């Protein structure tokens, strides 16, 4: 048995929760790695909504997922999700922070991240999941971690199971996962 790293664990969660024909959301599509993974798992069924506020991210994601025709790309903030999605959502993934190899001044922000989580939760299926990969290794990420964790800790336990996956003996504020499963 080998400990799963953070991104492999996120994929394990996707594998566990995704269902054929589902509506799923990549809330921060960036270079499109998660959008591609979701599309591969859905095998042409269902719908994937991919959000990013950077045109370059949308372009990269479109290029990476050109083989699929069940993806809707939204050049808009994930906090505006309800303008585009109204069907029940099975799964959503957020990779917070800045785009690797991109503009490091463009980062996800706690207030809009929480708005997006709340709005997606409002249309999340029972036993659906929101996966958050949180990166506290940069200054804004540290703040976002505090605010988002505080928000999640206050969440009513009757409404959701929320858990955290992290390596507690790693140095330099490694990334970790929080996931919200709707009850
Ligand atoms: N999952 C991506 C991948 O596979 O390459 C990496 C995502 S990167 C860590 C974070 C992304 O969030 C950036 O591309 C950034 O532009 C985007 N972002 C920042 N604020 C956003 C918002 N309000 N709504 C949607 N995307 C946002």
């Amino acid at each position: 048995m080998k400990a799963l790293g953070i991104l492999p664990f996120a994929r394990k969660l996707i594998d566990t929760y995704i269902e054929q024909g589902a509506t799923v959301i990549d809330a921060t599509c960036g270079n499109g790695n998660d959008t591609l993974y979701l599309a591969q798992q859905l095998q042409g069924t269902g719908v994937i909504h991919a959000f990013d506020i950077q045109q370059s991210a949308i372009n990269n994601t479109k290029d990476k997922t050109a083989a699929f025709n069940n993806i809707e790309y939204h050049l808009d903030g994930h906090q505006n999700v309800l303008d585009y999605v109204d069907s029940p959502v099975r799964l959503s993934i957020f990779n917070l922070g800045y785009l690797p190899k991109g503009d490091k001044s463009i980062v996800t922000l706690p207030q809009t991240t929480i708005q997006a989580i709340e709005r997606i939760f409002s249309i999340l299926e029972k036993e659906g999941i929101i996966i958050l990969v949180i990166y506290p290794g940069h200054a804004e990420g540290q703040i976002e971690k505090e605010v988002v964790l505080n928000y999640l800790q206050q969440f009513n336990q009757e409404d959701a199971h929320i858990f955290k996956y992290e390596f507690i003996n790693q140095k330099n504020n490694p990334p970790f996962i929080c996931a919200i499963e709707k009850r």
Side-chain angles (χ1 to χ4, degrees), residues 108-121:
T108 52
L109 298 171
Q111 196 194 347
T112 41
T113 297
I114 289 172
Q115 280 175 347
I117 294 170
E118 280 184 341
R119 291 170 185 169
I120 293 172
F121 190 79

Side-chain angles (χ1 to χ4, degrees), residues 26-34 51-54 57 76-79 95-100 106-109 112 135:
D26 184 352
T28 55
C29 66
N31 288 324
N33 298 306
D34 291 330
F51 287 85
D52 207 289
I53 53 171
Q54 297 190 65
D76 200 352
H78 40 222
Q79 63 275 20
N95 257 283
L96 301 180
Y98 55 79
L99 185 60
I106 302 176
V107 292
T108 52
L109 298 171
T112 41
Y135 294 82

Side-chain angles (χ1 to χ4, degrees), residues 90-154:
R90 178 70 194 164
L91 178 152
S92 177
I93 182 157
F94 291 67
N95 257 283
L96 301 180
Y98 55 79
L99 185 60
K101 298 185 192 144
D103 182 343
K104 293 191 176 168
S105 71
I106 302 176
V107 292
T108 52
L109 298 171
Q111 196 194 347
T112 41
T113 297
I114 289 172
Q115 280 175 347
I117 294 170
E118 280 184 341
R119 291 170 185 169
I120 293 172
F121 190 79
S122 76
I123 52 170
L124 197 64
E125 287 176 13
K126 206 170 155 203
E127 295 174 7
I129 194 163
I130 299 174
I131 303 163
L132 307 169
V133 186
I134 300 173
Y135 294 82
H138 59 113
E140 297 97 331
Q142 191 60 247
I143 297 168
E144 189 169 42
K145 166 193 158 178
E146 302 293 337
V147 177
V148 171
L149 272 185
N150 186 51
Y151 165 73
L152 296 177
Q153 281 157 356
Q154 315 287 329

Side-chain angles (χ1 to χ4, degrees), residues 30-49:
N31 288 324
N33 298 306
D34 291 330
T35 307
L36 176 63
Y37 190 72
L38 292 169
Q40 288 167 338
Q41 303 318 302
L42 284 178
Q43 299 176 35
T45 72
V47 183
I48 302 125
H49 292 273

